[in-house]
């Protein structure tokens, strides 16, 4: 199962199905690999049907051959998560923030910006939250940030293929551009911030999340209209950033639906 230099493997039922149905990353799909012994569940039947309609090559292999070939691209830990199915695709195509701002959108919309979050597990979990709470997408930097890769795809459990990811050169300049386009900026911060229940929400908006250790950068914090904190027990100083992102996005989501 040799993949090209610009291809990767999407593996697991949910992630494979999401690429075939949503494909927010506008990937090219080359081949589907699966073990011949894999039970033909409704999900697998749907995947096979979609591949046939899209004229995607289907390669069935015995379990040993499948695992032998796929280990060339995956670690042993990831191999255990494939569920016996993998899709060979091109890399994720990032979105352009300028194009997004120039197109028409609902007034009640929000984006999430990640400032210095390098852990791919947290990145994948935040993508799931973005999909669950209907954010318009995620903004990441080209530097000091986790990038979209196979591990992020797997951690997001298919949510990446429903999510727009914008990659920018400079976060602060991008925030200024968003402000110029009417966005309100809410930074998640522990020190010197206001409890979120006391903060008025105004749309469109951006939630800025920083790493657990350092938080958002000083330059980014200066661009925020509000610095917001989550109410919690004094027994704990901070939450995992993916957990915090879910709480903050749910807060925005509730207001967005009113």
């Amino acid at each position: 199962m040799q993949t090209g230099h610009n291809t990767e493997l999407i593996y697991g039922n949910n992630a494979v199905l999401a690429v075939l149905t949503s494909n927010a990353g506008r990937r090219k799909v080359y081949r589907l690999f699966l073990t011949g012994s894999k039970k033909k569940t409704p999900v697998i039947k749907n995947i096979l049907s979609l591949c046939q309609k899209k004229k995607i090559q289907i390669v069935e292999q015995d379990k040993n051959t499948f695992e032998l070939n796929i280990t060339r691209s995956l670690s042993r830990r990831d191999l255990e998560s494939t569920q016996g199915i993998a899709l060979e695709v091109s890399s994720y195509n990032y979105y352009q923030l300028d194009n997004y701002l120039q197109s028409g959108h609902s007034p009640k919309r929000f984006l999430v910006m990640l400032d210095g979050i390098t852990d791919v597990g947290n990145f994948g979990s935040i993508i799931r939250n973005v999909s669950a709470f209907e954010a318009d997408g995620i903004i990441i930097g080209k530097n000091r940030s986790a990038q979209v890769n196979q591990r992020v795809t797997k951690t997001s459990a298919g949510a990446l293929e429903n999510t727009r990811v914008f990659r920018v050169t400079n976060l602060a300049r991008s925030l200024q551009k968003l402000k110029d386009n009417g966005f309100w900026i809410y930074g998640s911060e522990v020190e010197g911030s206001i409890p979120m229940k006391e903060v008025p929400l105004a749309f469109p908006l951006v939630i800025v999340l920083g790493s657990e250790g350092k938080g958002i950068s000083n330059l980014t914090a200066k661009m925020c209209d509000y610095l917001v904190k989550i109410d919690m027990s004094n027994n704990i100083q901070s939450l995992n950033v993916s957990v915090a992102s879910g709480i903050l996005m749910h807060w925005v989501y509730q207001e967005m639906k009113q």
Side-chain angles (χ1 to χ4, degrees):
M1 194 184 302
Q2 293 278 18
T3 59
H5 294 299
N6 296 317
T7 64
E8 61 184 74
L9 292 173
I10 305 295
Y11 50 96
N13 293 345
N14 290 337
V16 167
L17 184 59
V19 173
L20 294 173
T21 54
S22 300
N23 197 10
R26 299 159 294 169
R27 303 177 189 267
K28 291 182 180 178
V29 181
Y30 301 109
R31 293 180 289 179
L32 175 76
F33 298 91
L34 75 162
T35 57
S37 60
K38 189 168 178 63
K39 186 178 179 180
K40 299 302 188 291
T41 63
V43 172
I44 297 303
K45 289 179 180 178
N46 190 15
I47 288 172
L48 292 173
S49 175
L50 288 168
C51 285
Q52 289 166 353
K53 287 178 182 177
K54 296 173 183 289
K55 294 182 171 51
I56 297 166
Q57 182 184 3
I58 300 170
V59 181
E60 288 198 24
Q61 300 172 321
D62 62 73
K63 186 174 183 293
N64 290 336
T65 303
F66 177 87
E67 292 188 353
L68 178 64
N69 287 330
I70 207 169
T71 51
R72 297 172 184 169
S73 301
L74 302 179
S75 68
R76 171 55 57 180
R77 184 174 118 182
D78 290 333
L79 177 61
E80 295 170 355
S81 304
T82 64
Q83 299 177 295
I85 189 167
L87 198 64
E88 184 185 3
V89 299
S90 64
S91 300
Y92 183 96
N93 291 291
Y94 292 101
Y95 285 74
Q96 297 296 317
L97 187 60
D98 286 344
N99 292 344
Y100 168 80
L101 292 174
Q102 290 167 9
S103 59
H105 296 278
S106 166
K108 278 197 171 183
R109 64 191 189 277
F110 74 100
L111 296 164
V112 176
M113 176 179 282
L114 307 186
D115 182 6
I117 295 177
T118 58
D119 183 83
V120 295
N122 282 332
F123 187 21
S125 296
I126 291 169
I127 290 170
R128 293 186 68 181
N129 291 336
V130 163
S131 180
F133 297 116
E134 298 181 9
D136 266 16
I138 298 178
I139 303 169
I140 62 171
K142 288 185 177 179
N143 302 307
R144 294 178 54 251
S145 175
Q147 305 295 309
V148 173
N149 57 28
Q150 288 184 170
R151 290 291 305 282
V152 170
T153 300
K154 180 59 181 175
T155 306
S156 74
L160 174 64
E161 305 311 325
N162 299 309
T163 303
R164 283 176 287 201
V165 181
F166 304 88
R167 188 167 65 173
V168 300
T169 304
N170 187 290
L171 296 181
R173 282 204 297 266
S174 296
L175 285 176
Q176 184 59 60
K177 187 177 296 184
L178 286 158
K179 288 167 76 77
D180 292 343
N181 281 270
F183 279 77
W184 293 81
I185 314 300
Y186 295 79
S188 176
E189 191 62 277
V190 176
E191 300 296 332
S193 52
I194 308 170
M196 64 183 196
K197 66 182 180 181
E198 299 176 16
V199 175
L201 277 178
F203 291 91
L205 64 84
V206 182
I207 295 175
V208 184
L209 300 162
S211 65
E212 291 174 59
K214 297 181 180 179
I216 60 178
S217 67
N218 291 332
L219 189 58
T220 302
K222 290 178 181 177
M223 299 297 298
C224 295
D225 297 298
Y226 294 96
L227 293 176
V228 182
K229 66 180 177 182
I230 298 168
D231 287 321
M232 56 187 176
S233 165
N234 292 329
N235 295 328
I236 215 163
Q237 290 187 333
S238 64
L239 296 170
N240 172 278
V241 66
S242 65
V243 174
S245 76
I247 294 171
L248 290 166
M249 280 188 253
H250 181 258
W251 169 53
V252 175
Y253 179 75
Q254 285 184 308
E255 185 69 23
M256 185 173 67
K257 290 302 180 180
Q258 290 184 5

